[in-house]
């Protein structure tokens, strides 16, 4: 699974990919973590569905924290706001926007 497919699988908005917010290093870490924490059967079931489903918000929040910690540029943060606006989990979206407003 390539990075773009992985982001789609975890319900990231396309902005994470297009704005280069999701680094190759983060991709490797999250993919390894996902594979380590799912049984082979669970992974097969999720892949058949085409989406990770419940729990994918943890990966999106982790990516958000990664960007905050590793990018201090205004451009990266502006791009992050664009990505957050498309967040499907309303509570997570509010949490991320509140965190950004406190910076």
């Amino acid at each position: 699974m390539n990075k773009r497919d992985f982001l789609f699988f975890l319900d990231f908005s396309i902005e994470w990919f297009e704005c280069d917010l999701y680094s190759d290093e983060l991709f490797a870490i999250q993919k390894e973590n996902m594979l380590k924490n799912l049984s082979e059967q669970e992974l097969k079931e999720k892949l058949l569905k085409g989406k990770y489903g419940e729990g994918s918000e943890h990966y999106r929040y982790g990516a958000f924290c990664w960007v905050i910690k590793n990018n201090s540029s205004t451009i990266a943060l502006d791009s992050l706001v664009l990505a957050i606006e498309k967040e499907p989990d309303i509570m997570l979206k509010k949490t991320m926007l509140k965190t950004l407003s406190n910076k």
Side-chain angles (χ1 to χ4, degrees):
M1 182 181 305
N2 65 34
K3 183 165 54 170
R4 186 181 184 118
D5 292 343
F6 188 73
L7 290 171
F8 175 78
F9 183 65
L10 292 172
D11 279 329
F12 280 84
S13 68
I14 192 67
E15 286 77 11
W16 283 90
F17 186 79
E18 291 177 348
C19 296
D20 201 29
L21 292 168
Y22 197 82
S23 70
D24 292 340
E25 182 181 6
L26 179 57
F27 169 54
I29 291 168
Q30 286 198 324
K31 186 175 179 182
E32 179 183 333
N33 182 270
M34 183 184 73
L35 294 173
K36 181 175 63 175
N37 290 314
L38 290 176
S39 70
E40 195 171 311
Q41 182 61 36
E42 288 171 318
L43 180 60
K44 283 180 184 177
E45 289 171 7
K46 289 180 181 297
L47 288 171
L48 283 174
K49 291 179 185 176
K51 292 286 185 174
Y52 187 91
E54 189 176 329
S56 64
E57 70 276 5
H58 297 284
Y59 290 94
R60 295 191 305 276
Y61 186 68
F64 167 78
C65 292
W66 177 276
V67 171
I68 294 294
K69 182 179 177 185
N70 294 292
N71 293 289
S72 59
S73 77
T74 304
I75 295 168
L77 295 179
D78 288 346
S79 297
L80 185 57
V81 170
L82 291 174
I84 292 169
E85 288 297 328
K86 304 283 178 84
E87 171 56 45
D89 183 303
I90 300 301
M91 293 306 294
L92 179 55
K93 178 180 176 177
K94 287 180 180 181
T95 298
M96 291 189 288
L97 289 172
K98 184 176 180 181
T99 301
L100 281 179
S101 71
N102 291 333
K103 287 213 146 273

